[in-house]
Amino acid sequence: MNLMPRHATGPARAQQGFTLIGLIFWAVVISMLALLVMKVAPALSEYRTIQSMVNKAAREGGSTVPEIRAAYDRYLQIEYGVEAIRSGRDLDVAKEDDKILIRFAYDKEIALVEPVYLVIKFKGQSK
């Protein structure tokens, strides 16, 4: 008759699971990524809005540079939240191969945690 407890007869098994330090580490990493996404998402949304406005101005804005810039300014009054390109004068309007081409570029500075900033360089053109 064996007097040893049943759990002591087999090979030792390592415990599995998270440690408190591991849990804190992953919580910090996930929090930092969430902060980054929350700070960058509005800038990306603004870029997509500007791209949409530029495409619309190139298609429907007219045939001269002042008409296209005026069309962008009208679209700017309709859209809210666009702060990067506040006027049609900031657009580079050209005609290439009988097609109107509008180019734009700007930098967006996003404060992450003082004194750390993220600078994103946006550039685009009409399709």
Side-chain angles (χ1 to χ4, degrees):
M1 179 161 181
N2 189 359
L3 296 176
M4 297 288 282
R6 183 172 205 132
H7 61 79
T9 60
R13 292 186 344 185
Q15 290 185 354
Q16 296 178 354
F18 287 108
T19 63
L20 182 60
I21 293 173
L23 187 62
I24 291 172
F25 171 78
W26 285 111
V28 168
V29 168
I30 291 171
S31 298
M32 290 174 126
L33 288 174
L35 175 70
L36 186 66
V37 167
M38 287 189 300
K39 296 275 187 162
V40 170
L44 293 175
S45 175
E46 180 183 29
Y47 170 76
R48 289 180 39 215
T49 301
I50 291 171
Q51 182 69 53
S52 168
M53 291 167 44
V54 164
N55 287 337
K56 197 179 224 184
R59 274 193 323 267
E60 305 166 1
S63 59
T64 65
V65 173
E67 288 175 348
I68 292 169
R69 288 185 174 159
Y72 178 85
D73 289 338
R74 281 193 307 273
Y75 300 139
L76 190 61
Q77 292 174 358
I78 296 169
E79 294 291 338
Y80 65 93
V82 176
E83 298 175 5
I85 300 178
R86 296 295 304 158
S87 170
R89 292 185 307 256
D90 298 332
L91 301 173
D92 179 26
V93 182
K95 197 168 196 177
E96 291 182 7
D97 299 329
D98 222 18
K99 182 182 173 186
I100 295 171
L101 187 63
I102 305 172
R103 292 186 185 102
F104 63 94
Y106 63 95
D107 296 343
K108 189 74 169 185
E109 189 176 277
I110 301 169
L112 296 177
V113 178
E114 278 302 320
V116 177
Y117 289 85
L118 175 67
V119 177
I120 304 174
K121 296 182 177 283
F122 290 103
K123 180 169 57 169
Q125 68 181 22
S126 61
K127 296 179 181 176

mmCIF file of all heavy atoms in Angstrom, residues 17-48:
data_model
loop_
_atom_site.group_PDB
_atom_site.id
_atom_site.type_symbol
_atom_site.label_atom_id
_atom_site.label_comp_id
_atom_site.label_asym_id
_atom_site.label_seq_id
_atom_site.Cartn_x
_atom_site.Cartn_y
_atom_site.Cartn_z
ATOM 1 N N GLY A 17 -0.518 30.371 -16.461
ATOM 2 C CA GLY A 17 -1.348 31.538 -16.205
ATOM 3 C C GLY A 17 -0.528 32.804 -16.253
ATOM 4 O O GLY A 17 0.667 32.795 -16.525
ATOM 5 N N PHE A 18 -1.195 33.932 -15.992
ATOM 6 C CA PHE A 18 -0.544 35.230 -16.012
ATOM 7 C C PHE A 18 -0.018 35.589 -14.630
ATOM 8 O O PHE A 18 -0.667 35.294 -13.619
ATOM 9 C CB PHE A 18 -1.540 36.328 -16.431
ATOM 10 C CG PHE A 18 -1.885 36.296 -17.889
ATOM 11 C CD1 PHE A 18 -3.125 35.881 -18.312
ATOM 12 C CD2 PHE A 18 -0.958 36.713 -18.832
ATOM 13 C CE1 PHE A 18 -3.447 35.870 -19.643
ATOM 14 C CE2 PHE A 18 -1.277 36.707 -20.177
ATOM 15 C CZ PHE A 18 -2.515 36.282 -20.581
ATOM 16 N N THR A 19 1.106 36.237 -14.614
ATOM 17 C CA THR A 19 1.585 36.803 -13.366
ATOM 18 C C THR A 19 1.051 38.227 -13.274
ATOM 19 O O THR A 19 0.606 38.810 -14.272
ATOM 20 C CB THR A 19 3.124 36.841 -13.315
ATOM 21 O OG1 THR A 19 3.601 37.698 -14.349
ATOM 22 C CG2 THR A 19 3.713 35.438 -13.483
ATOM 23 N N LEU A 20 1.104 38.802 -12.116
ATOM 24 C CA LEU A 20 0.630 40.170 -11.938
ATOM 25 C C LEU A 20 1.479 41.140 -12.752
ATOM 26 O O LEU A 20 0.945 42.051 -13.393
ATOM 27 C CB LEU A 20 0.665 40.552 -10.450
ATOM 28 C CG LEU A 20 0.154 41.951 -10.123
ATOM 29 C CD1 LEU A 20 -1.299 42.099 -10.562
ATOM 30 C CD2 LEU A 20 0.303 42.250 -8.654
ATOM 31 N N ILE A 21 2.771 40.935 -12.800
ATOM 32 C CA ILE A 21 3.652 41.807 -13.583
ATOM 33 C C ILE A 21 3.348 41.673 -15.073
ATOM 34 O O ILE A 21 3.305 42.668 -15.800
ATOM 35 C CB ILE A 21 5.129 41.492 -13.270
ATOM 36 C CG1 ILE A 21 5.437 41.871 -11.828
ATOM 37 C CG2 ILE A 21 6.060 42.215 -14.232
ATOM 38 C CD1 ILE A 21 6.801 41.462 -11.349
ATOM 39 N N GLY A 22 3.124 40.473 -15.545
ATOM 40 C CA GLY A 22 2.758 40.262 -16.946
ATOM 41 C C GLY A 22 1.442 40.928 -17.292
ATOM 42 O O GLY A 22 1.290 41.540 -18.353
ATOM 43 N N LEU A 23 0.497 40.836 -16.382
ATOM 44 C CA LEU A 23 -0.810 41.463 -16.599
ATOM 45 C C LEU A 23 -0.674 42.984 -16.657
ATOM 46 O O LEU A 23 -1.255 43.640 -17.533
ATOM 47 C CB LEU A 23 -1.764 41.057 -15.481
ATOM 48 C CG LEU A 23 -3.210 41.495 -15.633
ATOM 49 C CD1 LEU A 23 -3.823 40.869 -16.872
ATOM 50 C CD2 LEU A 23 -4.000 41.140 -14.399
ATOM 51 N N ILE A 24 0.110 43.567 -15.766
ATOM 52 C CA ILE A 24 0.334 45.019 -15.774
ATOM 53 C C ILE A 24 1.050 45.437 -17.050
ATOM 54 O O ILE A 24 0.708 46.451 -17.662
ATOM 55 C CB ILE A 24 1.121 45.449 -14.517
ATOM 56 C CG1 ILE A 24 0.238 45.277 -13.274
ATOM 57 C CG2 ILE A 24 1.606 46.890 -14.638
ATOM 58 C CD1 ILE A 24 0.964 45.484 -11.971
ATOM 59 N N PHE A 25 2.045 44.660 -17.481
ATOM 60 C CA PHE A 25 2.773 44.970 -18.710
ATOM 61 C C PHE A 25 1.825 45.030 -19.904
ATOM 62 O O PHE A 25 1.841 45.983 -20.683
ATOM 63 C CB PHE A 25 3.877 43.930 -18.950
ATOM 64 C CG PHE A 25 4.530 44.045 -20.292
ATOM 65 C CD1 PHE A 25 5.472 45.019 -20.533
ATOM 66 C CD2 PHE A 25 4.182 43.178 -21.333
ATOM 67 C CE1 PHE A 25 6.065 45.135 -21.776
ATOM 68 C CE2 PHE A 25 4.765 43.278 -22.568
ATOM 69 C CZ PHE A 25 5.718 44.261 -22.793
ATOM 70 N N TRP A 26 0.995 44.008 -20.070
ATOM 71 C CA TRP A 26 0.090 43.978 -21.208
ATOM 72 C C TRP A 26 -0.988 45.065 -21.103
ATOM 73 O O TRP A 26 -1.421 45.613 -22.122
ATOM 74 C CB TRP A 26 -0.536 42.603 -21.381
ATOM 75 C CG TRP A 26 0.446 41.650 -21.955
ATOM 76 C CD1 TRP A 26 1.032 40.589 -21.353
ATOM 77 C CD2 TRP A 26 1.026 41.714 -23.269
ATOM 78 N NE1 TRP A 26 1.925 39.987 -22.190
ATOM 79 C CE2 TRP A 26 1.939 40.641 -23.378
ATOM 80 C CE3 TRP A 26 0.872 42.555 -24.361
ATOM 81 C CZ2 TRP A 26 2.679 40.411 -24.533
ATOM 82 C CZ3 TRP A 26 1.599 42.322 -25.509
ATOM 83 C CH2 TRP A 26 2.487 41.261 -25.592
ATOM 84 N N ALA A 27 -1.406 45.403 -19.894
ATOM 85 C CA ALA A 27 -2.379 46.485 -19.722
ATOM 86 C C ALA A 27 -1.769 47.817 -20.167
ATOM 87 O O ALA A 27 -2.438 48.631 -20.826
ATOM 88 C CB ALA A 27 -2.837 46.561 -18.270
ATOM 89 N N VAL A 28 -0.503 48.050 -19.833
ATOM 90 C CA VAL A 28 0.174 49.290 -20.244
ATOM 91 C C VAL A 28 0.338 49.325 -21.760
ATOM 92 O O VAL A 28 0.083 50.349 -22.403
ATOM 93 C CB VAL A 28 1.537 49.429 -19.523
ATOM 94 C CG1 VAL A 28 2.377 50.527 -20.154
ATOM 95 C CG2 VAL A 28 1.334 49.695 -18.041
ATOM 96 N N VAL A 29 0.748 48.223 -22.367
ATOM 97 C CA VAL A 29 0.936 48.170 -23.825
ATOM 98 C C VAL A 29 -0.381 48.420 -24.550
ATOM 99 O O VAL A 29 -0.451 49.228 -25.490
ATOM 100 C CB VAL A 29 1.558 46.814 -24.244
ATOM 101 C CG1 VAL A 29 1.491 46.622 -25.744
ATOM 102 C CG2 VAL A 29 2.990 46.709 -23.756
ATOM 103 N N ILE A 30 -1.438 47.767 -24.112
ATOM 104 C CA ILE A 30 -2.741 47.938 -24.764
ATOM 105 C C ILE A 30 -3.262 49.361 -24.559
ATOM 106 O O ILE A 30 -3.826 49.968 -25.484
ATOM 107 C CB ILE A 30 -3.742 46.882 -24.247
ATOM 108 C CG1 ILE A 30 -3.316 45.504 -24.770
ATOM 109 C CG2 ILE A 30 -5.167 47.211 -24.660
ATOM 110 C CD1 ILE A 30 -4.068 44.351 -24.164
ATOM 111 N N SER A 31 -3.043 49.925 -23.382
ATOM 112 C CA SER A 31 -3.469 51.309 -23.122
ATOM 113 C C SER A 31 -2.725 52.291 -24.016
ATOM 114 O O SER A 31 -3.325 53.247 -24.533
ATOM 115 C CB SER A 31 -3.235 51.678 -21.660
ATOM 116 O OG SER A 31 -3.999 50.861 -20.822
ATOM 117 N N MET A 32 -1.427 52.088 -24.206
ATOM 118 C CA MET A 32 -0.651 52.980 -25.073
ATOM 119 C C MET A 32 -1.121 52.883 -26.520
ATOM 120 O O MET A 32 -1.234 53.897 -27.208
ATOM 121 C CB MET A 32 0.836 52.659 -24.975
ATOM 122 C CG MET A 32 1.440 53.026 -23.652
ATOM 123 S SD MET A 32 3.138 52.469 -23.570
ATOM 124 C CE MET A 32 3.944 53.990 -23.156
ATOM 125 N N LEU A 33 -1.390 51.676 -26.986
ATOM 126 C CA LEU A 33 -1.895 51.514 -28.353
ATOM 127 C C LEU A 33 -3.273 52.159 -28.514
ATOM 128 O O LEU A 33 -3.548 52.799 -29.540
ATOM 129 C CB LEU A 33 -1.947 50.037 -28.723
ATOM 130 C CG LEU A 33 -0.601 49.362 -28.957
ATOM 131 C CD1 LEU A 33 -0.789 47.861 -29.175
ATOM 132 C CD2 LEU A 33 0.116 49.981 -30.138
ATOM 133 N N ALA A 34 -4.124 52.014 -27.518
ATOM 134 C CA ALA A 34 -5.452 52.640 -27.575
ATOM 135 C C ALA A 34 -5.330 54.160 -27.601
ATOM 136 O O ALA A 34 -6.045 54.831 -28.356
ATOM 137 C CB ALA A 34 -6.295 52.187 -26.392
ATOM 138 N N LEU A 35 -4.420 54.719 -26.805
ATOM 139 C CA LEU A 35 -4.189 56.165 -26.803
ATOM 140 C C LEU A 35 -3.716 56.635 -28.170
ATOM 141 O O LEU A 35 -4.199 57.642 -28.694
ATOM 142 C CB LEU A 35 -3.165 56.532 -25.730
ATOM 143 C CG LEU A 35 -2.738 57.998 -25.685
ATOM 144 C CD1 LEU A 35 -3.888 58.862 -25.195
ATOM 145 C CD2 LEU A 35 -1.526 58.171 -24.807
ATOM 146 N N LEU A 36 -2.797 55.890 -28.768
ATOM 147 C CA LEU A 36 -2.275 56.245 -30.084
ATOM 148 C C LEU A 36 -3.384 56.226 -31.134
ATOM 149 O O LEU A 36 -3.509 57.159 -31.936
ATOM 150 C CB LEU A 36 -1.147 55.293 -30.477
ATOM 151 C CG LEU A 36 -0.406 55.613 -31.751
ATOM 152 C CD1 LEU A 36 0.356 56.918 -31.600
ATOM 153 C CD2 LEU A 36 0.547 54.488 -32.096
ATOM 154 N N VAL A 37 -4.215 55.209 -31.116
ATOM 155 C CA VAL A 37 -5.313 55.114 -32.083
ATOM 156 C C VAL A 37 -6.305 56.254 -31.879
ATOM 157 O O VAL A 37 -6.762 56.874 -32.845
ATOM 158 C CB VAL A 37 -6.015 53.741 -31.972
ATOM 159 C CG1 VAL A 37 -7.335 53.722 -32.718
ATOM 160 C CG2 VAL A 37 -5.107 52.641 -32.492
ATOM 161 N N MET A 38 -6.623 56.580 -30.628
ATOM 162 C CA MET A 38 -7.577 57.661 -30.360
ATOM 163 C C MET A 38 -7.032 59.024 -30.778
ATOM 164 O O MET A 38 -7.795 59.903 -31.159
ATOM 165 C CB MET A 38 -7.952 57.687 -28.882
ATOM 166 C CG MET A 38 -8.853 56.544 -28.481
ATOM 167 S SD MET A 38 -9.517 56.683 -26.809
ATOM 168 C CE MET A 38 -8.052 56.712 -25.803
ATOM 169 N N LYS A 39 -5.728 59.208 -30.727
ATOM 170 C CA LYS A 39 -5.133 60.489 -31.119
ATOM 171 C C LYS A 39 -4.972 60.602 -32.637
ATOM 172 O O LYS A 39 -5.098 61.685 -33.196
ATOM 173 C CB LYS A 39 -3.752 60.658 -30.466
ATOM 174 C CG LYS A 39 -3.787 60.743 -28.967
ATOM 175 C CD LYS A 39 -4.040 62.141 -28.531
ATOM 176 C CE LYS A 39 -3.904 62.256 -27.019
ATOM 177 N NZ LYS A 39 -3.719 63.598 -26.598
ATOM 178 N N VAL A 40 -4.694 59.487 -33.320
ATOM 179 C CA VAL A 40 -4.409 59.506 -34.756
ATOM 180 C C VAL A 40 -5.686 59.414 -35.600
ATOM 181 O O VAL A 40 -5.743 59.965 -36.697
ATOM 182 C CB VAL A 40 -3.411 58.379 -35.114
ATOM 183 C CG1 VAL A 40 -3.264 58.212 -36.609
ATOM 184 C CG2 VAL A 40 -2.062 58.660 -34.474
ATOM 185 N N ALA A 41 -6.709 58.758 -35.107
ATOM 186 C CA ALA A 41 -7.938 58.543 -35.891
ATOM 187 C C ALA A 41 -8.568 59.846 -36.399
ATOM 188 O O ALA A 41 -8.959 59.909 -37.572
ATOM 189 C CB ALA A 41 -8.935 57.725 -35.084
ATOM 190 N N PRO A 42 -8.682 60.912 -35.604
ATOM 191 C CA PRO A 42 -9.257 62.157 -36.150
ATOM 192 C C PRO A 42 -8.426 62.760 -37.283
ATOM 193 O O PRO A 42 -8.984 63.313 -38.231
ATOM 194 C CB PRO A 42 -9.294 63.095 -34.938
ATOM 195 C CG PRO A 42 -9.305 62.210 -33.758
ATOM 196 C CD PRO A 42 -8.488 61.010 -34.153
ATOM 197 N N ALA A 43 -7.101 62.648 -37.207
ATOM 198 C CA ALA A 43 -6.245 63.176 -38.278
ATOM 199 C C ALA A 43 -6.462 62.391 -39.568
ATOM 200 O O ALA A 43 -6.500 62.977 -40.657
ATOM 201 C CB ALA A 43 -4.778 63.127 -37.861
ATOM 202 N N LEU A 44 -6.609 61.088 -39.467
ATOM 203 C CA LEU A 44 -6.870 60.271 -40.657
ATOM 204 C C LEU A 44 -8.250 60.561 -41.235
ATOM 205 O O LEU A 44 -8.422 60.614 -42.457
ATOM 206 C CB LEU A 44 -6.741 58.788 -40.321
ATOM 207 C CG LEU A 44 -5.340 58.305 -39.975
ATOM 208 C CD1 LEU A 44 -5.366 56.852 -39.541
ATOM 209 C CD2 LEU A 44 -4.396 58.497 -41.135
ATOM 210 N N SER A 45 -9.213 60.786 -40.379
ATOM 211 C CA SER A 45 -10.554 61.130 -40.838
ATOM 212 C C SER A 45 -10.550 62.480 -41.556
ATOM 213 O O SER A 45 -11.206 62.644 -42.593
ATOM 214 C CB SER A 45 -11.507 61.174 -39.645
ATOM 215 O OG SER A 45 -12.771 61.605 -40.038
ATOM 216 N N GLU A 46 -9.800 63.435 -41.027
ATOM 217 C CA GLU A 46 -9.689 64.741 -41.663
ATOM 218 C C GLU A 46 -9.033 64.616 -43.043
ATOM 219 O O GLU A 46 -9.477 65.229 -44.011
ATOM 220 C CB GLU A 46 -8.883 65.695 -40.786
ATOM 221 C CG GLU A 46 -8.716 67.065 -41.385
ATOM 222 C CD GLU A 46 -7.858 67.991 -40.542
ATOM 223 O OE1 GLU A 46 -6.964 67.492 -39.824
ATOM 224 O OE2 GLU A 46 -8.075 69.203 -40.610
ATOM 225 N N TYR A 47 -8.000 63.789 -43.145
ATOM 226 C CA TYR A 47 -7.330 63.583 -44.433
ATOM 227 C C TYR A 47 -8.305 62.994 -45.459
ATOM 228 O O TYR A 47 -8.345 63.432 -46.606
ATOM 229 C CB TYR A 47 -6.120 62.659 -44.254
ATOM 230 C CG TYR A 47 -5.519 62.212 -45.556
ATOM 231 C CD1 TYR A 47 -4.739 63.067 -46.320
ATOM 232 C CD2 TYR A 47 -5.763 60.934 -46.053
ATOM 233 C CE1 TYR A 47 -4.200 62.663 -47.528
ATOM 234 C CE2 TYR A 47 -5.226 60.516 -47.248
ATOM 235 C CZ TYR A 47 -4.451 61.384 -47.980
ATOM 236 O OH TYR A 47 -3.926 60.976 -49.182
ATOM 237 N N ARG A 48 -9.079 62.006 -45.041
ATOM 238 C CA ARG A 48 -10.043 61.398 -45.965
ATOM 239 C C ARG A 48 -11.099 62.410 -46.400
ATOM 240 O O ARG A 48 -11.539 62.413 -47.551
ATOM 241 C CB ARG A 48 -10.685 60.178 -45.315
ATOM 242 C CG ARG A 48 -9.696 59.031 -45.199
ATOM 243 C CD ARG A 48 -10.226 57.767 -44.570
ATOM 244 N NE ARG A 48 -11.571 57.440 -44.943
ATOM 245 C CZ ARG A 48 -12.441 56.869 -44.131
ATOM 246 N NH1 ARG A 48 -12.115 56.584 -42.900
ATOM 247 N NH2 ARG A 48 -13.648 56.577 -44.545
#
